[in-house]
């Protein structure tokens, strides 16, 4: 069997003495797009933060392997160098730093950590222009401070642009659909779909089924009370929409 891109084994996590993740098991093979669906408060964002290495979370048990390498002991920046990318549910604003500057610094930091040379300004401009076109991002938006005063759709597009430039091998998208109208949702989904490939895996976290009409997953996992309670083909998302999360909670309790 080939090494999965992401393997989560029995992950238990606490915040302030309270257990939020209660034994998450999940495997995302290379090149596949998996979705996690679960009601608000079930621990989806906590999972994405723990994977990215955010502080304040206490891992009490379990392992997370990225392409076979245990990442829980790694700093967030090293996880990014190893190919992990997280698009946050609430992208942070960075006043005073133009989006373009931020993107170039992020890209060069990774290149440096990998022992590669800095990208030249013309090459960078070309790459941004190309990736930005598909996402309907123009030069004016790139001159503005990152996420400051951006609409919901602009924030998500800026994140997907960052993803397109960094070329991560494991992308985690947390509620990428939140705050998007249908047109913005289409643009963002097309941007994500353009990045699908044999060497890249994705974990798409969402509360609603509608995102999965645009980013069609290979596998859907149902998340409830801090763990994956059921996994199945994409049709599982429709079943979930029809039945509601309560149906799955009952199955779990039975
Ligand atoms: N920083 C925190 N301190 C205390 N409790 C938290 C913190 N972050 C999240 N929680 C709690 O953890 C649970 C899971 O939250 P979250 O991971 O955001 O769920 P989801 O993304 O599925 O809506 C919720 O009950 C939430 O109140
Ligand atoms: Mg969340």
């Amino acid at each position: 069997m080939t090494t999965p891109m992401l393997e989560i084994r029995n992950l238990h996590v606490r915040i302030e003495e309270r257990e939020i993740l209660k034994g998450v098991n999940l495997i995302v093979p290379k090149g596949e797009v998996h979705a996690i669906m679960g009601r608000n408060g079930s621990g989806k964002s906590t999972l994405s933060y723990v994977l990215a290495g955010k502080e304040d979370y206490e891992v009490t048990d379990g392992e997370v392997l990225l392409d076979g390498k245990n990442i829980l002991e790694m700093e967030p920046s090293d996880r990014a160098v190893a190919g992990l990318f997280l698009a946050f549910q609430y992208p942070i604003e960075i006043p005073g730093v133009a989006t373009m500057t931020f993107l170039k610094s992020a890209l060069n930091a990774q290149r440096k950590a990998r022992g590669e040379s800095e990208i030249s300004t013309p090459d960078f401009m070309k790459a941004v222009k190309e990736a930005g076109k598909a996402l309907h991002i123009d030069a004016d938006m790139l001159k503005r401070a990152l996420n400051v005063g951006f609409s919901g759709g602009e924030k998500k597009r800026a994140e997907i642009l960052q993803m397109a430039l960094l070329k991560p091998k494991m992308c985690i998208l947390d509620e990428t659909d939140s705050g998007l109208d249908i047109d913005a949702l289409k643009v963002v989904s097309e941007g994500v779909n353009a990045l699908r490939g044999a060497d890249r895996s994705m974990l798409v976290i969402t509360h609603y089924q509608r995102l999965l009409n645009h980013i069609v997953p290979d596998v859907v996992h149902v998340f409830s009370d801090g763990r994956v309670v059921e996994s199945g083909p994409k049709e599982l998302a429709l079943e979930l929409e029809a039945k509601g999360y309560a149906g799955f909670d009952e199955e779990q309790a039975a």
Side-chain angles (χ1 to χ4, degrees):
M1 200 187 107
T2 53
T3 311
M5 188 64 89
L6 182 71
E7 181 165 7
I8 304 175
R9 293 184 191 150
N10 191 34
L11 185 65
H12 288 256
V13 171
R14 279 190 205 168
I15 313 173
E16 291 166 9
E17 306 297 306
R18 191 173 139 218
E19 186 162 60
I20 307 288
L21 299 185
K22 304 175 180 176
V24 179
N25 288 295
L26 182 70
I27 291 180
V28 184
K30 285 185 180 133
E32 292 193 7
V33 174
H34 287 207
I36 289 185
M37 291 183 74
R39 63 154 65 105
N40 280 327
S42 57
K44 305 181 301 297
S45 289
T46 300
L47 177 65
S48 64
Y49 285 136
V50 171
L51 294 177
K54 196 169 176 240
E55 294 172 12
D56 307 331
Y57 297 90
E58 188 196 348
V59 176
T60 54
D61 203 359
E63 279 184 312
V64 177
L65 305 176
L66 177 68
D67 207 0
K69 248 200 280 182
N70 194 344
I71 59 165
L72 288 179
E73 300 299 316
M74 291 163 68
E75 291 296 319
S77 57
D78 293 331
R79 298 182 196 201
V81 170
L84 186 72
F85 179 86
L86 175 69
F88 291 107
Q89 181 169 3
Y90 304 106
I92 45 166
E93 301 184 359
I94 309 188
V97 178
T99 303
M100 183 79 103
T101 310
F102 171 82
L103 290 172
K104 194 169 176 215
S105 308
L107 184 58
N108 277 329
Q110 280 209 2
R111 290 173 71 108
K112 197 173 162 199
R114 288 177 182 153
E116 298 163 12
S117 61
E118 286 203 354
I119 189 168
S120 73
T121 300
D123 283 351
F124 175 73
M125 299 299 285
K126 209 174 128 202
V128 171
K129 217 169 151 186
E130 216 159 85
K133 210 188 296 170
L135 290 163
H136 303 202
I137 292 176
D138 59 20
D140 281 344
M141 185 175 146
L142 294 168
K143 281 182 204 152
R144 288 158 63 192
L146 182 66
N147 290 325
V148 178
F150 280 18
S151 69
E154 285 172 335
K155 284 182 183 174
K156 301 291 166 164
R157 272 148 55 205
E159 286 214 305
I160 305 306
L161 176 61
Q162 193 187 342
M163 190 166 116
L165 291 170
L166 294 179
K167 301 188 169 60
K169 53 188 188 185
M170 180 73 225
C171 307
I172 300 166
L173 307 170
D174 188 11
E175 305 262 355
T176 289
D177 48 339
S178 73
L180 296 188
D181 61 30
I182 192 70
D183 293 326
L185 183 65
K186 274 190 188 152
V187 170
V188 167
S189 302
E190 278 166 20
V192 171
N193 285 330
L195 296 174
R196 291 174 84 146
D199 300 323
R200 182 169 296 128
S201 306
M202 300 188 186
L203 191 57
V204 179
I205 299 174
T206 185
H207 178 65
Y208 296 109
Q209 191 269 333
R210 70 167 192 171
L211 177 68
L212 306 182
N213 291 332
H214 299 276
I215 304 173
V216 180
D218 296 298
V219 176
V220 173
H221 305 277
V222 182
F223 208 77
S224 175
D225 193 23
R227 62 170 83 87
V228 173
V229 294
E230 187 153 339
S231 303
K234 62 179 191 294
E235 289 75 20
L236 183 57
L238 296 169
E239 195 189 326
L240 198 57
E241 185 106 314
K243 224 158 104 165
Y245 289 111
F248 288 85
D249 294 343
E250 280 154 25
E251 271 173 32
Q252 191 198 2

